[in-house]
Each structure stands twice: as structure tokens, then as C-alpha cells.
Amino acid sequence: RNEETVEGQQSLSNESTTMSTKETDRQKGFKKGIDADEGRRRREETTLQIRKTKKDVRLAKRRQMPPGAPAASTPAGMAAANMLAAGAAGAVPPAPFPPAQTAGPMGMDTAAAGAVPMGGAGANKLENLPQMVAGVSGDDPAVQTECTTQFRRLLSIEKNPPIQQVIDSGVVPRFVEFLQRDDNPALQFEAAWALTNIASGTSDHTRVVIEVGAVPIFVRLLVSPNDDVREQAVWALGNIAGDSPPCRDLVLQAGAMQPL
């Protein structure tokens, strides 16, 4: 009888082992699921990647128009040119800019008469950098505006704009000073545009614009009496806020929401 009991227990054990093995084999036949945490993490990564891709596309559109796009007058460009002509006797106004539309006032444009030539490869365009820096650093408002315009054009080239080289030239703090020239809206406009393009680069480039104190000045320009200056301030703050959540919070803390 004891032997029968032992044999029965062994039989049950074998059957249990066989069933467990079959269950394991059956489970292997099903597609492995993803737990809730893993699924959430993947969705967040996908969302962040989509946002980054969309941001890159937006910034590329804001920085310049496609090559060969015809130059056209816009209210912003014509206003800046008219203000420059009225504010500096004998100065040659910059050429009008291409249409901004939803891409923002950052189109490529042709060089104005008397402007520093910007044609050729990127390396050639940097040959005039010392003269442009000298013009921005000088005291002549007409030359300041013209050279700031040339910097803006340099930063608006289609591929690999030399943002870091412009930063290294030391003109960014000067552009921020020009933002405060309420007596010269054309200069404010060009400086704001140049800084907007700088802020459209990497996070390090955006940080440079923040560290020189541009954010509170841009917020103040949101209530500028000049329409074009106001609009460009919006673009600049948009580029800064769009870089990262901390940058977004910085713009909000500076009081940008109320005037918007």
C-alpha cells in the first residue's frame, strides 16, 4: 500500500510537471506584451522626437526662404527701409525682405546697393566679418543699421549659418544694446531679427541670447509702438521659449504672457 501511495504521488508530480511545461510552451507562442510603464516611456520618447522634428522644420522655415525665392516687399521690410531712409540722411536703405507669412520675417534677401557683399561660399561670406564688427561697434547710426542688416543676412543663409562665428565675434551684446534704441526702430528691428536667428540655433546658442539679458528687453518690445518691432520680438521669444521647458518658464517669468 505504501508503494502504491509513492507511485501515485510520483504520477501526480509528473503530471504537474508536464502541465507546467505545456503552459510555459503555450505562453511562448503568444507575442510578449508591453507593460504600462514601458508603453508610457515609449510614447513619451516618440512624442518628444516628433516635437523636435517639427521644431527643426519650423526653425528652418523661419531662418530663410528657399534658394531662388523672388524678393518681394512686405510691410515689415518697407517700414524698416523707410525708417532708415528717414532717420539717416544719405544712408542707403537695406533691400526689402521676402514675404514672412507664417514662417516669420526671416527670409533671405538680396544685398542692398552699397552693402557689404555677401555672395559666394560660407567661408567667403565671413571675410567681411571684421568690417561688419567695426561698423556695429561704431557710433554712426546708419552704419550700425547697415552692418546689423548684413549680420542678419549672414545668419539667414540656407545651410549651416555661421551662428557660432557671429557669437565669437562679440557682437551679440551690441545687438542687445540696439534693442533698446527706441529712437531708431529700424535698428531695433534688424537687431531683433539677428538675435532671433541666433536663438534658432542650438541650445547653447539660445543660452547666449538669454545670458546677455535679451529676454526682458524682448518682453518690453512686445508693447513697442512699432508693429514690426513688436512682431519680431514675438518671434524671438518664441524661439527662446521653444528651446526647452526651462527656457519657456524663463520667458513666462519675464512677463511675456500679459502683453501677448
Side-chain angles (χ1 to χ4, degrees):
R1 186 173 297 177
N2 291 336
E3 291 178 358
E4 292 177 355
T5 301
V6 171
E7 290 178 359
Q9 291 176 347
Q10 289 178 346
S11 177
L12 290 174
S13 177
N14 292 336
E15 290 179 1
S16 177
T17 302
T18 302
M19 292 179 62
S20 177
T21 302
K22 289 182 178 180
E23 181 68 19
T24 301
D25 292 340
R26 190 169 65 88
Q27 289 178 353
K28 289 180 180 179
F30 289 100
K31 183 177 180 180
K32 183 180 178 181
I34 300 176
D35 60 51
D37 292 338
E38 177 67 11
R40 186 180 303 108
R41 183 186 66 80
R42 291 189 181 184
R43 287 194 300 272
E44 290 175 352
E45 289 180 353
T46 301
T47 301
L48 288 175
Q49 185 59 42
I50 292 174
R51 288 178 180 175
K52 184 179 184 301
T53 301
K54 288 183 177 180
K55 177 188 174 185
D56 291 342
V57 172
R58 286 198 307 270
L59 294 183
K61 288 181 179 180
R62 291 178 186 178
R63 188 179 284 122
Q64 77 282 314
M65 295 290 288
S73 299
T74 65
M78 294 301 295
N82 292 337
M83 287 185 290
L84 177 59
V92 179
F97 321 137
Q101 299 182 0
T102 58
M106 298 185 203
M108 294 190 59
D109 49 16
T110 57
V116 180
M118 284 287 111
N124 294 332
K125 294 177 182 179
L126 292 173
E127 290 179 355
N128 298 303
L129 199 60
Q131 296 93 324
M132 293 160 61
V133 172
V136 168
S137 303
D139 297 325
D140 187 332
V143 175
Q144 289 175 344
T145 304
E146 182 58 36
C147 289
T148 302
T149 301
Q150 294 304 321
F151 270 110
R152 182 260 299 166
R153 288 173 178 155
L154 184 61
L155 293 164
S156 298
I157 63 176
E158 181 190 6
K159 294 181 179 179
N160 300 320
I163 297 177
Q164 190 58 51
Q165 291 91 323
V166 171
I167 291 174
D168 293 341
S169 72
V171 296
V172 175
R174 190 66 166 162
F175 291 159
V176 175
E177 291 180 21
F178 292 162
L179 291 181
Q180 304 176 70
R181 292 285 299 275
D182 294 336
D183 61 317
N184 192 341
L187 180 57
Q188 281 183 313
F189 178 75
E190 291 293 347
W193 192 341
L195 289 169
T196 300
N197 283 352
I198 292 174
S200 73
T202 66
S203 293
D204 289 337
H205 298 155
T206 305
R207 190 177 304 113
V208 170
V209 177
I210 292 173
E211 290 177 349
V212 293
V215 171
I217 302 175
F218 276 128
V219 171
R220 183 180 68 83
L221 291 179
L222 292 176
V223 294
S224 168
N226 183 272
D227 293 343
D228 303 306
V229 172
R230 285 200 309 271
E231 181 181 3
Q232 195 58 48
V234 172
W235 281 113
L237 291 170
N239 279 0
I240 295 171
D243 182 74
S244 65
C247 291
R248 174 204 62 201
D249 294 342
L250 178 67
V251 170
L252 292 176
Q253 291 168 6
M257 183 62 73
Q258 184 61 38
L260 288 174

